[in-house]
Amino acid sequence: MTQPRFDVLAIGNAIVDVIATCDDGFLAEHALDKGAMRLVDTAEAEALYANMGPGREVSGGSAANTCAGLAALGSRCAFIGQVANDQLGSVFAHDIRSSGIFYATAPREGEPPSARCLVLVTPDGQRTMNTFLGASQHLSAASIDPELVADAKVLYLEGYLWDPDAPRTAMQGAIECAREAGREVAFTLSDEFLLDRHGDDFRAMIGRGEIDILFANEGEAMALTGADDLEKAIEWLAPKLPVLVVTRSEKGALAIRGDERAEVPAEPVDKVVDTTGAGDSFAAGFLHGHVQGKSLKDCLTLGAVAAAEIISHYGARPEANLTELVRERLG
């Protein structure tokens, strides 16, 4: 087997995070609940975007955030996600490429416009998020390049994108390509609400051996298995997966690979500012260690270090030098 060009190829929602400051009056004028996160439609997304003040526009989405963390750690990454042929689509493409991530998904013509998460930050630090999924939900099977899938050690799939039909079909095709090429498939469950609709799919995929690395938080693991405590969930999942990774917020994280089990505490932080993207960054750290052949405990520690950096500031992208943080922690 030839040496792949990329360490990780991720598939997920292509979302532009638009972050701007505002006062409480702006929230009241637009009937927005401070600190809440909600989905909005095309009309409301366009109107709110037009009325926001100057802001920062950064490529986002769960799997894209993981790619950004991986790239910051020195891994070679590629990303597949759908944008529209519009201004924010161009912002997403430029921003993710400028992070050193290979991105070649062709923009989609016509409606809906590119996905965006409109984040309004009030002087007290509260973040009010309005998410429009738009074009990201229209990723087609034609966007999956089998050669690109075969050219990555690990295919990483974002659970959020399993919900709409077209991207789900695309990701199923990508799994087949990865299997044919002998590559590993990593999957993140993303959110408990997905398990109500797609838990049967995920359990079937695990049963068929289509997932090599499963990322879940404590609640997701229990919801997926129907267990009433974490250890029972692990007892059900671990024998069916080559690698199981479970994050537990302030209680740390654990991973199981065969007969080996490792656990690490959460990394200390002076103040938890914003937990957005913590799971994405944890996956980045773990996968970075995994593709380098590090021990299970070191992979978990890498994940914990990356997650701690993210929760120490606003935003889902690293601001400190992750490579230096890892070097200080692991030597």
Side-chain angles (χ1 to χ4, degrees):
M1 187 181 298
T2 59
Q3 182 67 19
R5 188 171 114 180
F6 301 104
D7 295 311
V8 177
L9 164 64
I11 302 178
N13 283 310
I15 302 174
V16 176
D17 291 334
V18 183
I19 305 170
T21 57
C22 74
D23 56 24
D24 288 347
F26 183 92
L27 298 182
E29 179 185 348
H30 293 274
L32 301 175
D33 294 329
K34 183 190 286 191
M37 194 286 280
R38 66 195 185 110
L39 296 177
V40 298
D41 60 19
T42 303
E44 188 170 5
E46 296 282 14
L48 187 58
Y49 179 61
N51 283 299
M52 289 173 67
R56 199 160 46 104
E57 298 180 338
V58 184
S59 60
S62 175
N65 289 338
T66 297
C67 275
L70 279 159
L73 286 164
S75 285
R76 301 161 298 160
C77 300
F79 178 76
I80 295 175
Q82 189 64 64
V83 297
N85 188 11
D86 57 16
Q87 176 189 351
L88 286 181
S90 297
V91 167
F92 181 91
H94 176 270
D95 188 68
I96 198 166
R97 288 168 183 155
S98 69
S99 300
I101 299 163
F102 178 82
Y103 176 67
T105 309
R108 186 173 184 269
E109 299 295 335
E111 296 293 326
S114 294
R116 76 281 314 260
C117 182
L118 307 176
V119 185
L120 296 161
V121 185
T122 42
D124 58 2
Q126 289 272 9
R127 290 160 60 88
T128 303
M129 299 192 291
N130 306 271
T131 303
F132 170 64
L133 294 173
S136 69
Q137 303 280 280
H138 293 267
L139 182 73
S140 70
S143 299
I144 305 301
D145 178 359
E147 292 186 3
L148 180 59
V149 175
D151 216 7
K153 293 178 182 177
V154 178
L155 171 68
Y156 178 73
L157 303 174
E158 174 187 326
Y160 284 125
L161 203 54
W162 199 263
D163 209 32
D165 291 340
R168 182 165 64 251
T169 300
M171 289 197 289
Q172 287 169 330
I175 291 171
E176 292 178 9
C177 292
R179 282 276 162 259
E180 290 174 4
R183 304 307 187 194
E184 290 184 298
V185 176
F187 193 95
T188 175
L189 293 178
S190 294
D191 200 295
E192 285 185 51
F193 85 86
L194 290 166
L195 300 174
D196 291 335
R197 295 202 281 269
H198 305 294
D200 287 343
D201 280 354
F202 301 155
R203 286 183 286 270
M205 291 161 64
I206 292 169
R208 292 192 298 266
E210 294 177 354
I211 298 175
D212 298 292
I213 306 169
L214 181 71
F215 290 94
N217 64 29
E218 192 169 359
E220 291 160 359
M222 289 190 289
L224 180 65
T225 60
D228 57 7
D229 71 57
L230 180 59
E231 287 304 318
K232 290 179 182 177
I234 291 170
E235 185 179 341
W236 190 92
L237 284 167
K240 300 175 175 64
L241 293 157
V243 181
L244 170 65
V245 184
V246 181
T247 56
R248 307 184 68 200
S249 299
E250 73 279 0
K251 293 178 284 187
L254 63 89
I256 297 172
R257 179 173 55 201
D259 295 330
E260 180 186 4
R261 175 169 174 154
E263 299 189 39
V264 299
E267 291 288 306
V269 295
D270 292 334
K271 180 182 178 182
V272 176
V273 176
D274 180 13
T275 60
T276 305
D280 305 333
S281 292
F282 184 94
F286 187 94
L287 288 171
H288 177 70
H290 177 76
V291 297
Q292 291 188 335
K294 292 188 177 294
S295 71
L296 209 54
K297 187 170 184 178
D298 280 355
C299 290
L300 287 170
T301 300
L302 281 162
V305 169
E309 194 283 332
I310 287 296
I311 65 175
S312 66
H313 59 77
Y314 285 112
R317 296 296 177 84
E319 292 185 358
N321 187 315
L322 285 183
T323 303
E324 289 185 4
L325 291 177
V326 166
R327 187 181 300 116
E328 291 172 3
R329 181 66 176 80
L330 293 179

